[in-house]
Amino acid sequence: MFRFILRRLLSGVVLLFLISTIAFTLLYLGGGDIARRILGQTASAETVALKSEQLGLNRPVLVQYGDWLAGAMRGDLGSSWFTGQLVTAGITSRLSVTLSLVIGAILLIAIISVALGVWAAIRGGWADKVVQAVSILGFAIPGFLIALGLVTLFALNLKWFKPTGYTAFTDSPSGWAASVTLPIVALAIGGIAGVAQQVRGSVVDALRQDYVRTLRSRGLSFNRVVFKHVLRNAGGPALAVLAVQFVGLLGGAVIVEQIFAIPGLGQVAVQATTQGDIPMVMGLVVATAAIVVIVNLLIDLLQGWLNPKVRLS
């Protein structure tokens, strides 16, 4: 198990290095005249040149990347070129907001999709057709349309929730729940469609295996076979799909945060990207990639626990 975890950690470090290198290269190529953007079009050429020198933009790109990488390895991601705020402080202050949405959505996806998938696989017939129809519908409707529909129905018409804004959990737990419920549902609906189909297919395949007939012939009840053995074998593929969904939810959170005016990483990402704030964008890229690496590691460990063959492979 130790070698299994070590291999995953090393591959995660390599992945972070590659992602940061590609991101820095793309940002540098498309960066333009950053000093001019910061100072405005009325600034003199001498002032712009001085600002470029202060930011280190007149140095070779490899030197700039080397300095950034050395700082990142020490935990120093630099400061925003536009606000002067430390990148780590800017990210950590918004990270909990975005993670509360994404983790809430992934839990909702896991609970509902497993229930729907198992129900469709066991019952078959009309129940299976209903779940498949709902899944196709969930795939077909774009996430931003779902978000706008939820705001219109439950916030503007029924007034059950606030249409926009965010309340911290520490300020008011009930206010926090009211502010994140609609964004979480908007994020989760598309994911439920995909994972429910995967769970249904995995459970149907598992129910056809010889070990199920053997366990049934020994007198074990159908429910015990399903919940103790079938779900464990079907859980691996479902976890892999959940990991993919988690990555998609991080991207989807950017749009949902804009619609619901939630001050998460999405707002910072949009602002930093449009400004060309390379230190902040690089910090967001690395933080997001690190979260994905950690989640994938946890998923791998869960899959290894469910199926020891995964560790060997």
Side-chain angles (χ1 to χ4, degrees):
M1 179 59 81
F2 176 75
R3 293 181 61 187
F4 175 76
I5 296 173
L6 186 62
R7 284 202 305 271
R8 291 295 188 271
L9 286 174
L10 288 176
S11 62
V13 171
V14 173
L15 182 64
L16 283 175
F17 173 74
L18 291 176
I19 289 175
S20 67
T21 304
I22 294 171
F24 192 89
T25 304
L26 293 175
L27 290 169
Y28 179 80
L29 293 175
D33 193 349
I34 299 298
R36 174 67 67 183
R37 289 190 199 174
I38 297 173
L39 298 173
Q41 296 301 320
T42 57
S44 65
E46 292 77 12
T47 308
V48 172
L50 181 60
K51 189 66 177 179
S52 294
E53 186 176 354
Q54 290 175 348
L55 296 176
L57 297 174
N58 53 350
R59 297 174 301 160
V61 63
L62 285 178
V63 175
Q64 293 183 48
Y65 179 64
D67 288 347
W68 178 87
L69 188 61
M73 292 175 69
R74 298 192 303 269
D76 180 11
L77 295 174
S79 302
S80 167
W81 285 345
F82 288 81
T83 65
Q85 183 185 27
L86 289 175
V87 171
T88 50
I91 292 174
T92 52
S93 64
R94 307 292 189 97
L95 185 61
S96 61
V97 178
T98 299
L99 284 183
S100 66
L101 297 181
V102 174
I103 292 174
I106 208 72
L107 290 176
L108 194 62
I109 290 171
I111 294 170
I112 296 180
S113 61
V114 168
L116 287 177
V118 172
W119 182 57
I122 293 176
R123 292 294 299 272
W126 65 269
D128 191 14
K129 292 177 181 176
V130 167
V131 170
Q132 292 195 45
V134 171
S135 298
I136 293 172
L137 197 62
F139 271 128
I141 303 177
F144 72 90
L145 280 183
I146 294 174
L148 292 174
L150 291 172
V151 169
T152 303
L153 178 60
F154 294 105
L156 299 180
N157 292 338
L158 298 176
K159 301 188 184 305
W160 290 356
F161 302 96
K162 293 192 301 183
T164 58
Y166 176 79
T167 302
F169 183 83
T170 51
D171 295 337
S172 169
S174 60
W176 172 81
S179 64
V180 301
T181 298
L182 292 184
I184 285 176
V185 173
L187 280 172
I189 286 179
I192 291 171
V195 180
Q197 283 289 342
Q198 179 63 54
V199 172
R200 173 200 166 275
S202 299
V203 172
V204 168
D205 289 341
L207 288 173
R208 293 171 179 164
Q209 300 299 314
D210 292 337
Y211 76 89
V212 174
R213 285 188 287 271
T214 303
L215 291 172
R216 290 285 288 153
S217 66
R218 291 179 179 176
L220 271 69
S221 68
F222 182 73
N223 288 338
R224 186 175 179 184
V225 171
V226 169
F227 291 102
K228 187 174 181 180
H229 300 281
V230 171
L231 275 183
R232 180 162 185 164
N233 288 327
L239 285 173
V241 177
L242 273 178
V244 175
Q245 290 292 335
F246 187 89
V247 178
L249 290 176
L250 282 175
V254 174
I255 299 173
V256 169
E257 287 176 4
Q258 294 297 311
I259 294 174
F260 289 94
I262 292 177
L265 290 180
Q267 285 189 351
V268 181
V270 171
Q271 184 178 8
T273 304
T274 53
Q275 289 177 328
D277 193 346
I278 292 178
M280 185 60 78
V281 175
M282 285 297 297
L284 289 167
V285 169
V286 171
T288 305
I291 292 171
V292 171
V293 167
I294 293 170
V295 169
N296 280 325
L297 176 61
L298 294 175
I299 294 293
D300 285 342
L301 291 175
L302 278 173
Q303 286 182 319
W305 174 71
L306 289 171
N307 184 3
K309 292 180 180 178
V310 174
R311 297 198 297 269
L312 296 176
S313 63

